[in-house]
Amino acid sequence: MITVLFFAELQEQAGKPQLELELGETTVRELKERLESTLKITGLNRTMTAVNEEYALDSDAVKTGDTVAFIPPVSGG
Amino acid sequence: MITVLFFAELQEQAGKPQLELELGETTVRELKERLESTLKITGLNRTMTAVNEEYALDSDAVKTGDTVAFIPPVSGG
Amino acid sequence: MAEELFTVTEAPIPVEDLVKKVERPEAGAITTFIGTVREWTKGKRTEYLEYQAYVPMAVKKLAEIGDEIAEKWPDVKTAITHRIGRLEISDIAVVIAVSSPHRKAAYEANEYAIERIKQIVPIWKKEHWEDGETWIGDQLETTSYPKGKPNIEEERKR
Amino acid sequence: MAEELFTVTEAPIPVEDLVKKVERPEAGAITTFIGTVREWTKGKRTEYLEYQAYVPMAVKKLAEIGDEIAEKWPDVKTAITHRIGRLEISDIAVVIAVSSPHRKAAYEANEYAIERIKQIVPIWKKEHWEDGETWIGDQLETTSYPKGKPNIEEERKR
């Protein structure tokens, strides 16, 4: 199972802060495409992604047990 | 009467924080020379001077009622 | 961190606490940066703000900023606390405290910390104005995040 | 100053008090500089310090620094408190608080304030070491005050 986390505007778009997906090994890019088509989310291609709390590339692998967070442009401070 | 104030090392040299002088109109330079010879103070020529709480030049006038402070290099902060 | 130098909290941030965290006999200079909620931004009035964070990752990234600073300014000690939740005008959103034997490094490292917070720490701000609300993105306005690959390679090199 | 933004005191300085003095709804950034008594300076151990001030003139000069800052950074508000008397290691000698709508000015104006304090404010520090004591002069070490005429002309132009 893969845990997916949404924040800020994406969380409002998704209508929830997180969801679980039963998926085999995939990539950040494939996961983004899948979520954009299954949920009505736009702009995932413009957000950063963290896999297990570290920034990841679209080509990075995602496997069962991972937590994938989509990180819109940050605005702390 | 002119009030003279000493601070820091100069205060220790003079052995007192202040003194009063009965003097007619003079200049900062003349006052410095006078004090160096009457008290055993050295280094007045290297200190800044304030007349009535404003930095003054050696050529500036000093008259009765004024407060003259000798300001060694400052080290606040 | 035994001392919890890098934290995210829902409670008000006491500035003195952060100062105490970085105080050391070898430090002669402590700088703090206090980010507060500003009422007016470009003529628009803010009513309140809401901060959200990906807390565990935010704490980790704050600590990373501390590590980066320790590498660039070896004598410096840093503590950062960011608040989340609803904040009213003038409330403190973030406090950065930096101590150093000499003042120059204390200023430089402090400014470096706030710049990095605005780049890599997963915290978001929602502005509530009189006439609406919006999540604020990318205050630096320097990156457009094409293809979701910002500066990851660069970040990994740090 | 009704609010006493610029003061010299023998009591400990609470950092939060200075922060409150400069807090404003239009400010989004507050920086503080906290000068503390450092134990080690170039391998020499300080036991304690003694600060002396020409108090009325020092307060006046601190206020002048505030005026200079307001001229250079019009949106900035400044408060400075300097402590005098005997100070132990880690005690706070000076706190400078600066608020500004944006952070850049808050850092710049704050650093300007400490530089100017070290130039023009009549406050002196006596170091008490294990093996002696001495009045410290001219921390900037840039002026030798030849003929007792440092930068008076320049100061008068400001």
Side-chain angles (χ1 to χ4, degrees):
Chain A
M1 212 168 59
I2 292 161
T3 304
V4 177
L5 305 178
F6 300 108
F7 294 97
E9 184 145 19
L10 280 175
Q11 188 175 100
E12 292 184 0
Q13 274 192 49
K16 54 191 148 195
Q18 89 177 68
L19 57 83
E20 265 81 45
L21 284 177
E22 283 296 349
L23 270 181
E25 179 148 343
T26 181
T27 64
V28 169
R29 183 180 295 107
E30 280 171 9
L31 187 61
K32 283 183 173 182
E33 284 161 6
R34 188 192 176 93
L35 289 167
E36 289 219 337
S37 66
T38 55
L39 302 171
K40 279 177 184 165
I41 299 181
T42 57
L44 275 189
N45 58 333
R46 290 193 314 275
T47 68
M48 294 172 81
T49 310
V51 176
N52 302 328
E53 299 173 12
E54 272 309 328
Y55 287 113
L57 298 171
D58 274 5
S59 54
D60 283 347
V62 176
K63 56 185 189 319
T64 206
D66 284 349
T67 298
V68 179
F70 296 109
I71 315 273
V74 303
S75 52
Chain B
M1 213 172 55
I2 292 163
T3 303
V4 177
L5 304 178
F6 300 108
F7 294 98
E9 184 145 18
L10 281 174
Q11 188 175 100
E12 293 183 0
Q13 275 192 49
K16 53 192 148 196
Q18 88 178 67
L19 57 82
E20 265 82 46
L21 285 176
E22 284 294 349
L23 272 180
E25 180 150 338
T26 181
T27 63
V28 169
R29 182 181 296 108
E30 281 171 10
L31 186 61
K32 283 182 172 182
E33 283 161 5
R34 187 192 177 91
L35 289 166
E36 288 219 338
S37 66
T38 55
L39 302 172
K40 280 176 183 165
I41 299 182
T42 57
L44 274 189
N45 58 334
R46 289 193 315 275
T47 69
M48 295 171 81
T49 311
V51 176
N52 302 328
E53 300 173 11
E54 272 308 328
Y55 287 112
L57 297 171
D58 276 4
S59 54
D60 283 348
V62 175
K63 55 184 191 318
T64 204
D66 284 349
T67 297
V68 180
F70 296 109
I71 315 272
V74 302
S75 52
Chain C
M1 293 278 161
E3 282 191 83
E4 292 188 11
L5 294 173
F6 305 96
T7 62
V8 172
T9 177
E10 294 194 36
I13 311 173
V15 178
E16 307 268 10
D17 286 7
L18 277 276
V19 172
K20 286 202 182 70
K21 284 183 188 179
V22 299
E23 222 167 49
R24 298 168 295 156
E26 62 269 36
I30 300 173
T31 53
T32 70
F33 174 84
I34 301 162
T36 58
V37 177
R38 193 174 53 215
E39 185 167 15
W40 296 95
T41 300
K42 291 171 188 165
K44 230 175 161 179
R45 190 171 161 268
T46 297
E47 295 197 321
Y48 65 95
L49 290 186
E50 222 184 308
Y51 278 95
Q52 190 182 82
Y54 179 14
V55 175
M57 184 171 166
V59 169
K60 208 168 147 180
K61 290 291 153 190
L62 291 175
E64 265 181 45
I65 293 171
D67 292 342
E68 290 173 17
I69 288 173
E71 203 163 302
K72 285 171 184 283
W73 296 276
D75 287 334
V76 155
K77 186 176 179 184
T78 307
I80 307 174
T81 298
H82 204 299
R83 187 172 172 192
I84 54 173
R86 178 175 166 142
L87 274 76
E88 311 297 330
I89 304 303
S90 286
D91 277 356
I92 295 173
V94 64
V95 177
I96 303 165
V98 168
S99 70
S100 161
H102 301 285
R103 66 185 180 282
K104 195 76 198 166
Y107 282 110
E108 287 176 358
N110 198 305
E111 194 166 4
Y112 177 85
I114 184 67
E115 298 295 333
R116 291 294 283 158
I117 287 172
K118 289 172 183 293
Q119 287 169 353
I120 66 164
V121 180
I123 297 180
W124 300 270
K125 174 166 83 171
K126 190 178 196 174
E127 291 262 8
H128 291 259
W129 290 303
E130 292 163 304
D131 58 351
E133 53 180 51
T134 190
W135 286 99
I136 306 296
D138 184 24
Q139 294 195 311
L140 294 173
E141 284 161 28
T142 50
T143 34
S144 62
Y145 298 141
K147 297 177 200 168
K149 293 181 184 175
N151 300 310
I152 309 295
E153 271 103 350
E154 204 182 287
E155 290 300 335
R156 283 180 175 173
K157 271 182 265 160
R158 281 176 192 266
Chain D
M1 293 276 161
E3 283 190 82
E4 292 188 13
L5 293 174
F6 305 97
T7 62
V8 172
T9 177
E10 295 195 35
I13 312 173
V15 178
E16 307 267 11
D17 286 7
L18 276 276
V19 172
K20 286 203 181 70
K21 284 184 188 178
V22 299
E23 220 169 52
R24 300 168 293 157
E26 62 268 38
I30 300 172
T31 53
T32 70
F33 174 84
I34 302 162
T36 58
V37 178
R38 194 176 49 214
E39 186 168 15
W40 295 95
T41 300
K42 292 172 188 164
K44 234 177 158 175
R45 188 170 162 271
T46 298
E47 295 197 321
Y48 65 96
L49 290 187
E50 223 183 306
Y51 279 95
Q52 189 181 80
Y54 181 13
V55 176
M57 183 171 167
V59 170
K60 209 167 146 181
K61 290 292 155 188
L62 291 176
E64 265 181 46
I65 293 171
D67 291 344
E68 290 174 18
I69 287 173
E71 205 164 298
K72 285 171 184 282
W73 296 276
D75 287 334
V76 154
K77 186 175 181 185
T78 307
I80 307 174
T81 298
H82 204 301
R83 188 174 171 191
I84 55 174
R86 177 178 166 141
L87 273 76
E88 310 297 330
I89 304 302
S90 287
D91 277 356
I92 295 173
V94 63
V95 177
I96 303 166
V98 167
S99 69
S100 162
H102 301 284
R103 67 184 181 280
K104 195 77 199 165
Y107 282 109
E108 287 176 359
N110 199 304
E111 194 166 4
Y112 177 85
I114 185 68
E115 298 296 332
R116 291 294 282 159
I117 286 171
K118 288 171 184 294
Q119 288 169 353
I120 66 165
V121 180
I123 298 180
W124 301 270
K125 174 166 83 172
K126 190 180 196 174
E127 291 260 10
H128 291 259
W129 291 302
E130 290 164 304
D131 58 350
E133 54 180 51
T134 189
W135 286 100
I136 307 296
D138 185 22
Q139 296 194 309
L140 292 174
E141 283 160 31
T142 50
T143 34
S144 62
Y145 298 141
K147 295 176 201 169
K149 294 180 183 175
N151 301 310
I152 309 296
E153 273 102 349
E154 204 181 287
E155 291 300 335
R156 283 180 174 174
K157 273 182 264 158
R158 282 177 191 264

